[in-house]
Amino acid sequence: MLRQGLGSYERARRGYEGGTGPNRYYPAAMLALPHVASGKVREIYEIDQQRLLFVATDRISAYDVILEDPIPDKGRVLTGLSLHWFRLLDTPHHFLSTDLSTIPGIDDKERAELTGRSMVVRRAEVVPVECVIRGYLYGSAWREYRSGGGPATEHLPAGLEMGDRLPQPVFTPATKAASGHDENLTEGEARGLLGDELYDELRRRSLEIYQTAAGHAAASGMILADTKFEFGFADDRLLLVDEVLTPDSSRYWPADAWQPGRSMPSFDKQFVRDWLDGSGWDHTPPAPHLPPEVIEGTRARYVDAFERITGTRFQAYLEGS
Ligand code: Q0Z
């Protein structure tokens, strides 16, 4: 029985994510559709019992704070990347359509704003565990490893350094803690939460998707260092849900810049982080307003990520949306 007991997790998740977020760029009530959930940079609306409208906004967060200024087209870049991967991966997923013409209750102006940044998705019962796959040792797993080991490093050999490629990719599931931060789980903890059957299935599916995506990324000169998947049940089938393999859910590095032992700048966010660092901001909200050249430079980096990963022009994506 793969899906035992998910109802209570789903209610807990709704309690957490249904809260009112700070300074949202897209007001939750912008659409006449019922609002289901807010993330830091995304919104979910209900279309009907079976379908949700999944919207990527242009909000950007840095140091866990949503910045005051949106990055134009960031939500379209992320949505275009998710669509690229949903089409390419041979795995059951929640994506249904980008056609907004038959959704009731949105006017032409709203439809124009939503175009390219939204997906009609199958409603699923989301499994309350973030399915993280790591091919390289970085981020929270590196911090655990350096300080003597933790849940995400259980199955790693000794003697690795920061940014090393792992002997094989590892499944390091995490949960959303009350703080909103992900907390890495030991294999035992994750098996206890999910049951062995669901744990094994999530691990198998996640590793398979990572391997496929990492292979495609490598062919484009990119390293997919790690990524985070979410899954959900619909009609007893386990679907890949949420955004997939975007720079917000994944760590991509240009292959020619990778060197173990060194910190790797974030492909998309380092530019804006560097400017924020230089501004003297102490990471408490509100963040300072970004100068136009920082907004434009950040947008250019997102577009560059899209074009490298998909091998297609972002302008062509916009024109086809
Ligand atoms: C995803 C999240 C976001 C806030 C719920 N297909 C689905 N069916 C049911 N629920 C979800 C999905 Cl993707 C679902 N999240 C994460 C995304 C804003 C929270 F855009 N929450």
Side-chain angles (χ1 to χ4, degrees), residues 10 13 17 37-39 42-44 52 54-55 94 121-124 126 230 241-242:
E10 180 59 12
R13 161 183 290 274
E17 290 189 302
S38 276
R42 306 167 300 159
E43 303 290 348
I44 299 183
L52 300 174
F54 192 102
V55 181
H94 72 158
V121 302
R122 183 77 195 271
R123 187 176 223 153
V126 178
E230 292 206 52
V241 304
D242 213 290

Side-chain angles (χ1 to χ4, degrees), residues 11-23:
R11 280 189 294 281
R13 161 183 290 274
R14 272 202 287 269
Y16 164 66
E17 290 189 302
T20 48
N23 56 31

Side-chain angles (χ1 to χ4, degrees), residues 96-160:
L96 294 171
S97 163
T98 54
D99 181 7
L100 304 176
S101 67
T102 63
I103 296 172
I106 48 180
D107 63 31
D108 288 352
K109 185 162 167 280
E110 289 165 340
R111 196 170 292 112
E113 285 200 55
L114 290 167
T115 295
R117 67 171 73 255
S118 26
M119 305 186 286
V120 177
V121 302
R122 183 77 195 271
R123 187 176 223 153
E125 197 177 345
V126 178
V127 177
V129 165
E130 315 268 355
C131 294
V132 178
I133 300 289
R134 302 171 187 276
Y136 290 74
L137 183 57
Y138 210 75
S140 68
W142 164 247
R143 289 193 292 274
E144 287 180 7
Y145 191 89
R146 187 182 50 185
S147 64
T153 66
E154 271 184 314
H155 302 293
L156 300 185
L160 298 171

Side-chain angles (χ1 to χ4, degrees), residues 277-294:
D277 291 348
S279 77
W281 178 50
D282 65 3
H283 304 179
T284 59
H289 278 285
L290 305 175
E293 62 274 18
V294 174

Side-chain angles (χ1 to χ4, degrees), residues 102-286:
T102 63
I103 296 172
I106 48 180
D107 63 31
D108 288 352
K109 185 162 167 280
E110 289 165 340
R111 196 170 292 112
E113 285 200 55
L114 290 167
T115 295
R117 67 171 73 255
S118 26
M119 305 186 286
V120 177
V121 302
R122 183 77 195 271
R123 187 176 223 153
E125 197 177 345
V126 178
V127 177
V129 165
E130 315 268 355
C131 294
V132 178
I133 300 289
R134 302 171 187 276
Y136 290 74
L137 183 57
Y138 210 75
S140 68
W142 164 247
R143 289 193 292 274
E144 287 180 7
Y145 191 89
R146 187 182 50 185
S147 64
T153 66
E154 271 184 314
H155 302 293
L156 300 185
L160 298 171
E161 58 177 335
M162 177 172 62
D164 260 338
R165 182 174 183 165
L166 301 177
Q168 63 228 333
V170 290
F171 177 57
T172 62
T175 52
K176 280 227 158 67
S179 68
H181 282 115
D182 291 356
E183 209 164 88
N184 292 331
L185 296 169
T186 64
E187 179 175 346
E189 287 167 342
R191 286 186 182 278
L193 272 172
L194 299 165
D196 286 331
E197 193 183 356
L198 181 53
Y199 176 93
D200 288 336
E201 183 66 4
L202 291 170
R203 178 175 180 278
R204 186 187 67 76
R205 286 276 296 273
S206 300
L207 281 167
E208 179 179 272
I209 296 166
Y210 173 84
Q211 295 285 18
T212 302
H216 280 273
S220 317
M222 300 288 278
I223 290 172
L224 179 59
D226 54 48
T227 189
K228 178 170 82 181
F229 303 117
E230 292 206 52
F231 292 87
F233 284 100
D235 290 341
D236 282 327
R237 289 214 311 162
L238 193 54
L239 307 181
L240 178 62
V241 304
D242 213 290
E243 62 176 334
V244 285
L245 296 157
T246 68
D248 280 6
S249 69
S250 315
R251 218 175 244 118
Y252 286 99
W253 297 328
D256 59 14
W258 172 68
Q259 231 186 301
R262 279 209 297 144
S263 65
M264 289 292 301
S266 161
F267 194 81
D268 47 305
K269 278 194 185 162
Q270 202 58 46
F271 184 70
V272 71
R273 282 187 196 141
D274 287 349
W275 184 83
L276 290 166
D277 291 348
S279 77
W281 178 50
D282 65 3
H283 304 179
T284 59

